[in-house]
Amino acid sequence: MGSDGEMKINGKEDDDLKAPLLKPSEDVAITVFPDKGDKKVRTVKFKIGEIKCTSCSTSIESMLGEVHGVESAVISPLDGRAAITYVPGLVDVNKIKETIEDAGFPVDEFPEHDIEVCRLRIKGMMCTSCSESVERILLMADGVKKAVVGLALEEAKVHFDPNLIDTDGILEAVEDAGFGVELISSGNDMNKVHLKVEGFNFAEDGNMIQSCLESTPGVNHVEVDLAEHKVTVCYDPDLIGPRSIIQRIGDASSGPNIYHAELYVPPRRRETEQLQEVRMYRNQFLLCCLFSVPVLVFSMVLPMLHPYGNWLEYRIHNMLTVGMLLRLILCTPVQFIVGRRFYVGSYHALRRKSANMDVLVALGTNAAYFYSVYMVIKAITSDTFEGQDFFETSAMLISFILLGKYLEVVAKGKTSDALAKLTELAPETAHLVAVDSDENVVSEMDISTELIQKNDMIKIVPGEKVPVDGIVIDGQSYVNESMITGEARPIAKRPGDKVIGGTMNENGCLVVRATHVGSETALSQIVQLVEAAQLSRAPVQKLADRISKIFVPTVVIAAFITWLGWFIPGEAGLYPKHWIPKAMDRFELALQFGISVLVVACPCALGLATPTAVMVATGKGASQGVLIKGGNALQKAHKVKTVVFDKTGTLTVGKPEVVSAVLFSSLSMEEFCDMVTAAEANSEHPIAKAVVKHAKRLRQKIAPNAEYIAEVKDFEVHTGAGVSGKVGDRNVLVGNRRLMQACNVSVGSEVENYIQEHEQLARTCVLVAIDGGVAGAFAVTDPVKPEAECVISFLRSMGISSIMVTGDNWATASAIAKEVGIEKVFAETDPLGKADRIKDLQGKGMTVAMVGDGINDSPALVAADVGMAIGAGTDVAIEAADIVLIKSNLEDVVTAIDLSRKTMSRIRLNYVWALGYNILGMPIAAGILYPFTGIRLPPWLAGACMAASSLSVVCSSSLMLQSYKKPLRVRDRAS
């Protein structure tokens, strides 16, 4: 383990590791974080106006740093976005706001309250009407600011003010509405460990462990379950890890009480609950069949098999027969025991002043059952009565609905297969190694992956999965990252390279230092992002929401009109008597048509049309390396007609290299390199980093033993142009021709010739001016990505035009554009100018997607209809984007748009199924074909059709989108 690996992980590059590989998008105003010690801190985010340059943001940051209780302040000089971390007990948000306003800067988008977020699992939602009711109930609760409920996912995300309501109050509000509810997570328990503790049997032991843990720095919350001997701890991975918590519990032992804690892995809740739901519907269906099949046999089969069914006609009393009594006895448990769930659901729905599928089923089955009971009473009390009961209608209707729900739940489980596969990628165990001061391995032990802490050294042998995100300290290998990024080729890994948890080490042995654990790993954040996307609602869902509000009342009215439409003309003799089946009268025929209309209508199919497709598409996209942040992005992407590409790091590889350095003054190369290195050291731009790297290497060649470190003063970033500052007593400018012109630095003919020569070769020229004159220049090249030309061509075949926008000069931009096949170019454009170009295109009626990777792309990513961030780009770009391309491959731009188009096509087809089914099914159930063809839809068959409707929608989304394949693979085409 040599010094090369050590050098790579120390210094500035190490700072990059402190940021998660993927940052989850949150629109929450305030987030709670634990601070060092047992202090609790919060982060407030808002926007500051009139930020004109870096010095403005720097002055505000330093001013806030002097406020007692403010831990840190970060302000973007581009758009004025601010993130202030503070201790609530020492300072409040209003004081922070006043401090900024007193300095003369207006504050916008300031949060009125502290906001926290929790996720809930909702049980008992049957259709869109139910999910809307839950959402309305949550929004009515005092303190709830925002609530989103996902029907297909059966989850809710709630934003609330913790000063007005807590999670218990939210759970109680949902339970009072008649739905089952469980807390999945709250804002402060993202990193949680479950432990089983031996040695404590009394409440005092639990209190001892709890107080010991709560006094430990980094521990946020402790729950002790005395009955199960379990302890659940929420913690900050930056300050403490699960092994330290286990040790802390052991240290709490006193006297004869020796506490021994070990990791406890609870069963995965979602899979367990899904299995329980499938089992519940299956058992209810089988129980229902136990009674309903004999009812069907006694009412429709045996009476047709003479003489085997003659005994059913034996009269017990007056006109009451054995068959009628048996049907009553067998149907009653189905109606009131198996069918109890429909009564409960209807009661809660009506109490909420809404109506759902339960109401329709309860009305239909009750009408059939109680009319049949009336027939039984008439048969007992009359010796001349003749009539037919409908017990088989009630029993078979409930059976078919339960069968449909069972098949629907099974199919819905398959829609989340992609997400389930992602969660299972991380291995269960890892090899923890200890190293000495020379970084030689001195010991090794196997531990659970959940016990890994930050900065642990992990050994990964060939054929094993990487347990957590980290950086390679020693060894070389190839790692297969296809399960995370979709990239088929193994990626070479050497000391200093990052590895992602869940990926497969192929041939070499690696020693990795853990940098991100628990919920901070890329895998965990991908799962969180996909879950959030599946919970979001696509705009096209509004159609189903509008219909669902009036659906059930409309169906009830239609059923009543159907009954009247057959009963009144029948009584008036307006249709011939031979239309009425044997053993039925006019009332019974009209009642059967009315019940059929009630039960054939299906609001579930409409409600599931969009969310199931969004669930499958976002999960499938994640498995292909495309993270879609919600239904809104998914829907907008299918309309894209113009894609705007950034140049550096997007169309190009993003690793610029200096290919030429030249002096235009009498300054020595050694001094020139020192000036450039000092001036560019604070810049984050890829080209600046390449220039600094080359200048350092050049100086090392000239004077290997010299150690001169210059410092820059009055450093300023000129967005889209370069940087300036004072090095010693000299004014230094480093940037493009636009910066020179803005600072009145003349560019002579010799410099112009150098610029033109290299720009024609698609190279970027960086000019260096010292004390008002051009002292030298660098020519920087950044090769085009190999797939770029093929992607642009494929987009053209999809009817999508491509545009390049860059801050680089026109000559270089035009050369790159020509190489990849882009005809329209906007060059020498600053970040806000990029956003303006996007708005100009939108003003012409175009739906625009922006593909970028850097901080300077974030305004354009936000302005675009669909922002796509390259996964290897900055956290700011990833947060601003709607879609993240994990593996930084331009092929995935095509994948994202194509997946969106396929999904929207599937959603439209689902609506055709759902709406077409109801539009055609209800008239047939109402008997519109009966006078002409004699075709009638009995209620039990109508119920079967209703069940089939929901199933067809779920299977349409699940089966078709699950088989989605990428439309473009450059390597496949090349081969």
Side-chain angles (χ1 to χ4, degrees):
M1 301 180 58
S3 60
D4 290 341
E6 189 177 348
M7 285 179 66
K8 286 188 178 180
I9 61 168
N10 291 331
K12 189 165 184 182
E13 266 194 55
D14 193 38
D15 295 339
D16 298 337
L17 303 173
K18 295 177 182 177
L21 296 177
L22 281 171
K23 200 168 186 179
S25 174
E26 289 290 346
D27 51 3
V28 187
I30 289 187
T31 317
V32 182
F33 296 99
D35 190 23
K36 294 175 182 177
D38 56 357
K39 289 190 297 182
K40 294 293 190 295
V41 301
R42 295 181 187 273
T43 298
V44 61
K45 298 177 183 178
F46 50 87
K47 189 173 182 180
I48 303 174
E50 298 184 12
I51 299 287
K52 297 175 181 175
C53 60
T54 309
S55 59
C56 295
S57 59
T58 306
S59 63
I60 297 173
E61 287 173 2
S62 59
M63 192 183 309
L64 288 171
E66 296 173 2
V67 177
H68 182 57
V70 173
E71 296 288 308
S72 68
V74 179
I75 297 159
S76 168
L78 293 175
D79 56 7
R81 294 277 172 190
I84 316 297
T85 303
Y86 67 100
V87 182
L90 302 177
V91 67
D92 60 17
V93 289
N94 290 322
K95 172 66 175 173
I96 294 170
K97 181 182 178 185
E98 288 170 9
T99 303
I100 296 169
E101 288 177 336
D102 289 345
F105 295 93
V107 175
D108 303 320
E109 302 176 20
F110 195 78
E112 296 179 7
H113 304 283
D114 292 355
I115 302 295
E116 290 187 8
V117 187
C118 67
R119 284 176 58 226
L120 313 174
R121 191 174 312 288
I122 311 292
K123 300 176 183 176
M125 294 192 297
M126 301 289 287
C127 57
T128 311
S129 177
C130 297
S131 61
E132 282 194 335
S133 296
V134 174
E135 201 166 290
R136 189 167 59 249
I137 289 154
L138 287 169
L139 290 171
M140 287 170 62
D142 189 28
V144 173
K145 302 300 177 186
K146 181 182 175 184
V148 181
V149 180
L151 174 63
L153 202 59
E154 296 182 332
E155 287 185 12
K157 187 176 183 180
V158 185
H159 301 240
F160 64 97
D161 181 355
N163 300 316
L164 299 176
I165 194 171
D166 57 11
T167 52
D168 291 336
I170 294 171
L171 295 177
E172 188 178 341
V174 177
E175 286 172 344
D176 287 346
F179 295 97
V181 61
E182 287 181 7
L183 181 67
I184 298 174
S185 67
S186 57
N188 63 345
D189 66 352
M190 294 306 294
N191 285 286
K192 181 188 284 188
V193 63
H194 302 271
L195 304 172
K196 195 148 191 172
V197 183
E198 296 177 3
F200 83 93
N201 303 300
F202 303 102
E204 292 80 5
D205 296 325
N207 293 335
M208 171 77 75
I209 291 172
Q210 186 165 355
S211 60
C212 178
L213 289 174
E214 286 178 342
S215 64
T216 303
V219 172
N220 300 335
H221 181 66
V222 181
E223 290 180 12
V224 178
D225 185 344
L226 184 62
E228 296 289 333
H229 291 215
K230 291 173 186 171
V231 177
T232 303
V233 184
C234 302
Y235 64 94
D236 176 5
D238 288 327
L239 301 176
I240 197 170
R243 295 201 311 281
S244 302
I245 292 171
I246 290 173
Q247 184 179 349
R248 188 76 175 134
I249 292 174
D251 294 343
S253 304
S254 60
N257 295 330
I258 305 298
Y259 306 135
H260 175 68
E262 60 183 25
L263 184 68
Y264 164 73
V265 182
R268 288 178 178 163
R269 191 184 301 176
R270 176 178 291 179
E271 293 176 8
T272 305
E273 289 180 353
Q274 200 171 62
L275 199 61
Q276 287 175 348
E277 190 178 19
V278 169
R279 194 178 293 124
M280 182 266 290
Y281 276 115
R282 185 197 64 194
N283 292 343
Q284 284 197 340
F285 170 66
L286 294 176
L287 178 63
C288 193
C289 287
L290 188 66
F291 296 99
S292 57
V293 171
V295 170
L296 181 68
V297 171
F298 294 155
S299 61
M300 302 182 72
V301 179
L302 286 179
M304 299 170 64
L305 301 175
H306 299 288
Y308 303 107
N310 292 349
W311 60 278
L312 292 171
E313 300 299 322
Y314 179 77
R315 295 179 185 176
I316 300 172
H317 180 73
N318 285 342
M319 301 301 291
L320 178 66
T321 63
V322 171
M324 191 178 287
L325 181 61
L326 286 173
R327 288 193 291 273
L328 171 64
I329 293 170
L330 291 168
C331 183
T332 301
V334 175
Q335 183 70 29
F336 297 106
I337 297 176
V338 180
R340 178 179 177 274
R341 62 192 313 279
F342 300 113
Y343 287 103
V344 173
S346 301
Y347 166 73
H348 288 299
L350 295 173
R351 202 183 73 171
R352 297 190 301 267
K353 298 180 181 178
S354 67
N356 59 11
M357 193 194 81
D358 290 333
V359 174
L360 293 179
V361 175
L363 281 173
T365 56
N366 277 340
Y369 178 82
F370 285 108
Y371 177 76
S372 301
V373 170
Y374 169 73
M375 291 291 100
V376 171
I377 294 170
K378 291 280 284 183
I380 293 172
T381 56
S382 171
D383 56 1
T384 59
F385 171 77
E386 288 187 7
Q388 182 182 6
D389 64 81
F390 297 147
F391 284 121
E392 80 284 351
T393 295
S394 168
M396 293 307 296
L397 183 56
I398 291 174
S399 298
F400 276 114
I401 289 170
L402 289 175
L403 174 62
K405 289 302 292 182
Y406 166 68
L407 296 174
E408 181 186 319
V409 168
V410 171
K412 275 168 68 178
K414 295 186 184 300
T415 62
S416 57
D417 276 354
L419 189 59
K421 287 175 183 174
L422 280 174
T423 59
E424 293 169 0
L425 284 178
E428 293 183 0
T429 60
H431 306 297
L432 178 68
V433 297
V435 295
D436 58 19
S437 57
D438 296 326
E439 297 194 350
N440 296 313
V441 175
V442 294
S443 67
E444 181 180 330
M445 63 181 290
D446 288 350
I447 63 167
S448 169
T449 300
E450 294 193 23
L451 294 178
I452 296 175
Q453 301 181 173
K454 275 194 176 179
N455 296 318
D456 278 346
M457 297 293 185
I458 307 298
K459 179 181 174 183
I460 307 161
V461 300
E464 286 190 344
K465 288 183 178 179
V466 179
V468 292
D469 295 355
I471 183 169
V472 177
I473 301 298
D474 187 37
Q476 295 186 12
S477 181
Y478 282 87
V479 175
N480 184 349
E481 297 182 346
S482 61
M483 57 287 295
I484 301 290
T485 67
E487 174 60 62
R489 290 183 304 176
I491 309 297
K493 299 293 179 182
R494 297 176 178 82
D497 291 341
K498 293 179 182 178
V499 290
I500 305 173
T503 55
M504 178 70 74
N505 182 27
E506 295 214 332
N507 51 16
C509 184
L510 297 175
V511 176
V512 171
R513 190 184 76 191
T515 57
H516 300 96
V517 297
S519 63
E520 292 183 355
T521 64
L523 183 60
S524 295
Q525 290 178 24
I526 289 170
V527 170
Q528 291 166 33
L529 199 148
V530 173
E531 285 177 338
Q534 292 180 345
L535 195 57
S536 68
R537 191 171 292 168
V540 70
Q541 175 73 16
K542 290 177 182 176
L543 172 64
D545 294 343
R546 284 197 296 268
I547 294 173
S548 70
K549 289 177 182 177
I550 60 169
F551 189 89
V552 173
T554 302
V555 170
V556 172
I557 293 169
F560 183 69
I561 292 172
T562 299
W563 176 74
L564 287 178
W566 280 97
F567 179 64
I568 292 174
E571 290 295 310
L574 297 180
Y575 59 78
K577 287 187 178 181
H578 71 264
W579 283 10
I580 304 171
K582 291 181 181 179
M584 264 196 206
D585 58 23
R586 296 179 180 85
F587 177 85
E588 291 167 353
L589 179 64
L591 183 64
Q592 284 234 347
F593 281 125
I595 294 172
S596 294
V597 171
L598 273 179
V599 297
V600 80
C602 182
C604 296
L606 274 172
L608 292 169
T610 300
T612 50
V614 170
M615 272 185 73
V616 178
T618 51
K620 194 67 180 175
S623 68
Q624 302 272 10
V626 178
L627 285 185
I628 302 168
K629 290 189 179 179
N632 193 29
L634 192 66
Q635 180 170 340
K636 281 183 178 179
H638 91 284
K639 297 179 180 178
V640 168
K641 291 297 179 186
T642 302
V643 178
V644 177
F645 290 93
D646 173 48
K647 181 180 76 71
T648 306
T650 303
L651 287 172
T652 63
V653 174
K655 294 182 178 177
E657 291 183 357
V658 175
V659 292
S660 169
V662 65
L663 290 172
F664 297 113
S665 68
S666 59
L667 201 69
S668 70
M669 182 59 79
E670 183 180 345
E671 192 176 357
F672 175 72
C673 289
D674 286 336
M675 294 285 180
V676 171
T677 302
E680 289 276 49
N682 295 325
S683 177
E684 293 296 320
H685 198 283
I687 291 179
K689 289 182 178 180
V691 168
V692 170
K693 184 178 178 182
H694 184 80
K696 284 182 177 179
R697 191 165 60 231
L698 199 58
R699 192 185 190 284
Q700 187 71 16
K701 285 182 181 178
I702 299 168
N705 299 320
E707 290 187 10
Y708 172 71
I709 302 173
E711 288 188 7
V712 63
K713 295 178 181 178
D714 302 329
F715 176 78
E716 187 174 351
V717 175
H718 302 268
T719 308
V723 299
S724 65
K726 200 165 186 179
V727 181
D729 57 353
R730 297 192 171 196
N731 293 313
V732 181
L733 299 173
V734 184
N736 56 24
R737 191 171 1 197
R738 196 162 71 250
L739 179 63
M740 302 298 131
Q741 291 170 351
C743 297
N744 298 318
V745 176
S746 62
V747 178
S749 58
E750 186 183 3
V751 179
E752 280 288 354
N753 292 336
Y754 179 84
I755 293 172
Q756 290 176 11
E757 177 189 342
H758 287 281
E759 285 182 349
Q760 286 173 1
L761 299 171
R763 294 171 180 171
T764 301
C765 288
V766 178
L767 305 179
V768 181
I770 298 175
D771 291 335
V774 177
F778 296 91
V780 183
T781 184
D782 188 5
V784 170
K785 288 182 177 177
E787 73 274 10
E789 184 180 1
C790 191
V791 167
I792 302 302
S793 174
F794 198 91
L795 286 172
R796 194 179 296 114
S797 70
M798 294 172 69
I800 298 171
S801 61
S802 300
I803 297 173
M804 186 173 80
V805 59
T806 177
D808 212 338
N809 62 80
W810 276 100
T812 304
S814 299
I816 295 287
K818 185 178 180 181
E819 187 176 346
V820 299
I822 292 177
E823 296 174 359
K824 194 169 185 179
V825 179
F826 296 113
E828 298 182 6
T829 309
D830 62 19
L832 296 178
K834 291 181 181 181
D836 291 338
R837 292 282 183 266
I838 299 283
K839 290 171 185 173
D840 291 342
L841 293 169
Q842 290 169 331
K844 297 175 183 176
M846 298 180 185
T847 302
V848 182
M850 170 70 193
V851 187
D853 72 319
I855 293 175
N856 60 347
D857 297 321
S858 56
L861 289 170
V862 172
D865 297 289
V866 181
M868 297 187 190
I870 297 294
T874 64
D875 292 332
V876 175
I878 290 170
E879 191 168 356
D882 302 300
I883 296 172
V884 179
L885 313 179
I886 301 176
K887 69 172 183 286
S888 305
N889 193 318
L890 291 177
E891 294 170 23
D892 290 337
V893 174
V894 175
T895 303
I897 296 172
D898 184 68
L899 180 59
S900 170
R901 289 183 176 183
K902 293 276 197 314
T903 304
M904 290 309 299
S905 172
R906 185 57 49 187
I907 288 173
R908 291 191 193 99
L909 184 60
N910 286 349
Y911 275 126
V912 169
W913 275 104
L915 285 172
Y917 162 82
N918 281 293
I919 291 168
L920 292 174
M922 286 178 66
I924 293 172
I928 196 169
L929 299 178
Y930 188 61
F932 312 106
T933 63
I935 294 174
R936 182 168 62 89
L937 200 64
W940 63 269
L941 188 56
C945 291
M946 184 200 70
S949 169
S950 297
L951 188 63
S952 66
V953 166
V954 174
C955 289
S956 168
S957 299
S958 160
L959 299 179
M960 300 304 290
L961 284 174
Q962 285 283 16
S963 60
Y964 176 81
K965 295 281 192 302
K966 285 189 176 187
L968 173 65
R969 289 184 183 272
V970 172
R971 284 184 302 279
D972 293 348
R973 287 165 67 96
S975 60

